[in-house]
Amino acid sequence: MPNIHQSITELVGRTPLLQLNGYAKKHGLEADIIGKLEYFNPNQSVKDRIALAMIEDAEESGRLKPGDTVVETTSGNTGIGLAAIAAAKGYPFRVYIQDQVSEERFKVIKAFGGKTIKLTEEPTIAKTLEETNGDFVAAIEALKNNVIAKETGVVFVDQCSNPANPGVHRRTTGPEIWEDTDGKVDIFVACVGTGGTLSGVGQFLKSQNPDIKIVGVQPGPNSLPSDEVPQPSEEITGVHPFVGVPDNVIPSTLDRNIFDEVIKVEALEGYKSAREVAKSDGILIGASSGAALFAATVLAKRPENKGKKIVAMFPDTGLRYLSTNLFNEEVV
């Protein structure tokens, strides 16, 4: 029988696991690092999962109707996923996007027919960021209450508070990892942006085996804005601190009871890992994937983890970063 899909919505999920044998040999690791290659989703990132889940949840609840415009704020990949799913389903799409993300992200969203607005181009967001010293959560609330709430025919999907975000990972990503490892997974590692991936996957895996360790990754201090360096030269796009910060800047999509450990990774450490695995195993991964790989390497080098299986979430493709310094080896 023919096996012809009718929509890209049918292609989301079921991404492969890859054991990084070349990388492990290079580093002399005695634990297995296994990458969850989310760039096998139709639009090359893990955010395809939440884009589909949030739009379908809005449809099923009646909030999203034909002709409505889908709206979101994003550091990039969620915007790309939403732009593609919205196009496939016939909805207009508008995104407020962080100024400093790679040029590829803007171009891809526009290619899908989406409208992009830089955060600093929206007066409400720019004013709130200035008044709150860069509080992104406060800026989103200001946008919702002072701009979007006054519009009609607009649905703000809001990945930072939408339960469909962790829900889709609990329903799909976690079970995929469990099934593909035959339940033999000891540690799961993921960077935290909204926290949806870490929370949903972590909740499912711990429901199967409470002894599985869930490890979250956040940027190191040199990769975060500070009074001395308001804009670091290198950063891990879309990855945010979730420990040691005020509660009001932590998205509600993060289950703060699910993780067993937090590892801080500097952007250049993640860059180096991404460059290494490209040469050792032939996969091109993004900056947050490199950060997750660096954290997994830290874990794999611990004597107590000898022989264990560590699954690291690789959210997107390195092709989204060719205009950045990720693969510029002159930047050490």
Side-chain angles (χ1 to χ4, degrees), residues 63-264:
R63 289 191 302 122
L64 180 61
K65 299 175 289 294
D68 285 348
T69 297
V70 176
V71 178
E72 180 60 301
T73 56
T74 178
S75 61
N77 282 327
T78 302
I80 290 171
L82 284 167
I85 300 298
K89 286 177 168 285
Y91 298 109
F93 176 63
R94 181 171 87 229
V95 63
Y96 297 87
I97 193 167
Q98 291 177 338
D99 294 48
Q100 68 273 26
V101 303
S102 65
E103 187 63 27
E104 291 90 338
R105 285 169 164 75
F106 287 99
K107 290 180 177 178
V108 173
I109 292 170
K110 290 177 181 177
F112 285 127
K115 179 181 179 181
T116 62
I117 302 172
K118 291 183 178 180
L119 295 187
T120 56
E121 293 174 346
E122 168 49 56
T124 298
I125 295 177
K127 180 181 178 183
T128 305
L129 288 174
E130 183 178 352
E131 291 176 346
T132 62
N133 195 28
D135 185 340
F136 188 62
V137 175
I140 293 173
E141 288 301 311
L143 177 71
K144 284 194 296 185
N145 298 330
N146 300 318
V147 179
I148 296 171
K150 298 177 181 179
E151 299 182 88
T152 58
V154 169
V155 175
F156 183 53
V157 291
D158 196 3
Q159 62 177 324
C160 289
S161 66
N162 195 322
N165 175 354
V168 73
H169 293 296
R170 193 165 51 246
R171 190 175 69 251
T172 67
T173 322
E176 288 171 22
I177 292 171
W178 181 259
E179 292 164 12
D180 288 347
T181 60
D182 197 24
K184 296 179 174 63
V185 52
D186 299 291
I187 303 172
F188 174 69
V189 185
C191 289
V192 170
T194 66
T197 303
L198 190 77
S199 300
V201 173
Q203 288 164 357
F204 177 82
L205 292 179
K206 281 188 176 288
S207 75
Q208 302 301 301
N209 179 1
D211 292 332
I212 294 174
K213 302 300 181 187
I214 306 300
V215 179
V217 179
Q218 71 177 28
N222 295 328
S223 302
L224 292 170
S226 65
D227 292 339
E228 295 77 22
V229 185
Q231 184 61 55
S233 58
E234 309 300 337
E235 66 174 2
I236 310 170
T237 302
V239 180
H240 307 291
F242 58 99
V243 170
V245 295
D247 287 352
N248 66 301
V249 303
I250 300 174
S252 63
T253 42
L254 174 65
D255 179 352
R256 291 188 243 180
N257 298 313
I258 200 63
F259 51 89
D260 300 285
E261 183 178 353
V262 178
I263 294 179
K264 296 179 181 180

